[in-house]
Amino acid sequence: MRILFVHQNFPGQFLHLAPALAARGHTVLGLTDEGNARPSPVPVLRYRKPGAAGVAGIAKTYAEAAERGLSVARAAAQLRRDKGFVPDVVFGHGGWGETLFLREVWPEARHLTYAEFFYHARGLDADFDPEFQTDDLGRRFRTSARRTHLMMALADADAALAPTHWQASTFPEAFRDRITVIHDGIDTDRACPNPGARLTLPGGRVLSAGDEVVSFVNRNLEPYRGYHVFLRALPEVLKARPEAQVVIVGGNGVSYGPAPSGGRTWKEIFLSEVRDRLDLSRVHFLGQVPYAQFLSLLQVARVHAYLTYPFVLSWSLLEAMSAGGLVVGSRTPPVEEMIRDGENGRLVDFFDVSGWSAALIEALANPGGGAALRAAARRTVAEGCDLKRHCLPRLVSFVERGGAS
């Protein structure tokens, strides 16, 4: 088969799937933004980065998505015209508008879309946190308008893929029968418990498995992933546990939600709020780290904290569970799909700062008491999200069947 993946940050969610299909003898290409410098496991083609849409207000998101879709479609038309390339399957991420016009270029192909999340003005992420979000008509209008290109991508696809059941449930009920749920997959052979794990901090201190370590990991440190709640819980944790070390991984940018005003970062805003109540010699900000260092942190940590709005679930939660981590997670729907309180982890209400302090203190104080939770957490991921044994074979079959059931 000839299979084309479309993703502005390729390989993205197709990191393992694309090379697996190529290894089975298929011709596999990626089509990505010309500014994407990420290494690719398969040959890639590039489309021209779209210019500014020149549209403000409520139509801005769709205008930007349409411009990107147009750039992708022009590159696709040139590929067909100059190289005679006609894919059997086109598999794109619907989030940025890249797939909007590809059926017009390749009407004979099967078109698949990665259905990651569908926005709602009420009940999910957009009105979850009253500290940063207002419940007014204007905001609800803007949130609703952000769904236009997502609906078009889903309506035009032959089939769709979502990584979790909860994320699939955010899409309109009329379209859910075309969504297959298969997680991208966690390499449980690599993300595994390691009693000999060690992590060297920037100052030279070495942390080992068994030490009192709290880990917290985000792509960027921001409210959507509960950075503000976590930091507010730390003073009581450090006060109660004088040997505890807190290791925080994440950048200073913004992945989700608005950026703070005044040119400041969310990291600094919330750190300044609690700075005078923290022993900063025991709070270590590592920024963004290589994957091997990230895994070492998960293997070293006595407890891992994970918070999120009702939004896309992070791979890091499942990697922490796979590494045998004792995870304290937010009691929000995407987390509740994976963690059952008292069975394979702990759950705390997202906004309950004192509850977070208490749960982290308990986990640090009683390392042996979490053994059953750790084992169950790893078992949950191994049985449901294992890359090689479960997810990848199902993903390969999904693409080879063109999404057909």
Side-chain angles (χ1 to χ4, degrees):
M1 297 175 66
R2 295 176 298 272
I3 302 166
L4 178 71
F5 288 99
V6 185
H7 195 304
Q8 66 166 357
N9 293 316
F10 187 83
Q13 287 88 351
F14 308 127
L15 174 64
H16 303 292
L17 176 57
L21 288 163
R24 288 171 61 82
H26 303 302
T27 298
V28 181
L29 298 176
L31 181 57
T32 190
D33 188 297
E34 63 184 354
N36 178 16
R38 297 183 181 187
S40 171
V42 298
V44 295
L45 306 168
R46 302 184 185 276
Y47 63 81
R48 182 169 296 177
K49 186 179 181 68
V55 175
I58 199 167
K60 184 175 185 290
T61 298
Y62 176 73
E64 292 174 345
E67 287 297 325
R68 185 172 290 275
L70 183 60
S71 292
V72 174
R74 284 171 171 163
Q78 183 176 356
L79 180 61
R80 177 165 194 156
R81 181 177 63 249
D82 296 349
K83 304 293 185 180
F85 183 76
V86 179
D88 298 293
V89 173
V90 178
F91 195 174
H93 192 302
W96 301 283
E98 292 171 298
T99 64
L100 287 179
F101 311 116
L102 289 182
R103 187 175 287 279
E104 305 309 316
V105 179
W106 290 305
E108 57 271 82
R110 293 281 294 183
H111 291 263
L112 312 178
T113 187
Y114 191 91
E116 189 168 30
F117 186 75
F118 194 76
Y119 294 100
H120 291 256
R122 293 188 179 94
L124 299 183
D125 62 312
D127 66 342
F128 179 71
D129 193 338
E131 184 173 349
F132 307 102
Q133 299 162 333
T134 58
D135 185 17
D136 60 80
L137 276 175
R139 179 199 59 78
R140 295 201 292 271
F141 293 158
R142 291 189 297 273
T143 301
S144 295
R146 294 181 68 187
R147 306 187 298 188
T148 307
H149 68 287
L150 300 174
M151 179 61 76
M152 289 181 63
L154 188 58
D156 210 34
D158 294 296
L161 181 77
T164 71
H165 290 280
W166 182 79
Q167 286 169 241
S169 76
T170 65
F171 286 84
E173 187 172 357
F175 289 92
R176 287 181 205 161
D177 61 352
R178 69 176 64 184
I179 301 177
T180 297
V181 176
I182 310 172
H183 194 267
D184 311 317
I186 301 298
D187 187 347
T188 62
D189 293 333
R190 188 174 183 188
C192 62
N194 179 9
R198 292 160 64 88
L199 177 72
T200 302
L201 299 174
R205 176 167 182 163
V206 178
L207 302 176
S208 302
D211 291 345
E212 284 198 39
V213 177
V214 180
S215 59
F216 180 84
V217 175
N218 289 167
R219 182 185 306 168
N220 284 297
L221 304 177
E222 55 193 333
Y224 254 70
R225 299 306 195 190
Y227 170 68
H228 54 318
V229 176
F230 177 71
L231 271 199
R232 290 166 183 169
L234 285 187
E236 290 302 315
V237 175
L238 295 183
K239 179 180 177 182
R241 305 302 303 174
E243 299 301 316
Q245 303 289 323
V246 180
V247 183
I248 299 174
V249 168
N252 295 330
V254 175
S255 297
Y256 313 110
S261 59
R264 303 179 71 192
T265 65
W266 289 122
K267 172 190 172 182
E268 183 55 35
I269 288 171
F270 297 117
L271 182 58
S272 65
E273 180 184 317
V274 298
R275 185 187 301 271
D276 62 349
R277 295 184 289 130
L278 288 179
D279 176 0
L280 289 177
S281 69
R282 295 194 284 142
V283 181
H284 311 278
F285 289 90
L286 303 190
Q288 294 176 332
V289 300
Y291 190 73
Q293 189 176 0
F294 158 74
L295 277 185
S296 294
L297 170 60
L298 298 181
Q299 292 164 334
V300 162
R302 187 173 292 186
V303 58
H304 178 77
Y306 177 77
L307 300 90
T308 183
Y309 286 8
F311 192 61
V312 173
L313 189 73
S314 306
W315 288 352
S316 65
L317 169 65
L318 297 175
E319 288 165 318
M321 295 172 68
S322 180
L326 173 53
V327 178
V328 179
S330 58
R331 189 175 279 109
T332 46
V335 182
E336 290 177 293
E337 182 173 341
M338 300 300 173
I339 294 183
R340 298 174 298 281
D341 189 32
E343 295 183 26
N344 62 352
R346 292 291 316 281
L347 293 175
V348 178
D349 289 346
F350 185 97
F351 300 107
D352 183 3
V353 172
S354 62
W356 278 96
S357 299
L360 295 174
I361 290 168
E362 179 185 356
L364 291 172
N366 186 22
L373 297 180
R374 291 173 177 271
R378 175 162 173 80
R379 193 161 55 247
T380 296
V381 178
E383 294 176 355
C385 301
D386 180 88
L387 173 69
K388 298 173 185 175
R389 300 168 187 83
H390 299 298
C391 297
L392 195 53
R394 292 184 63 204
L395 289 167
V396 166
S397 176
F398 175 78
V399 174
E400 289 182 338
R401 291 183 289 103
S405 58

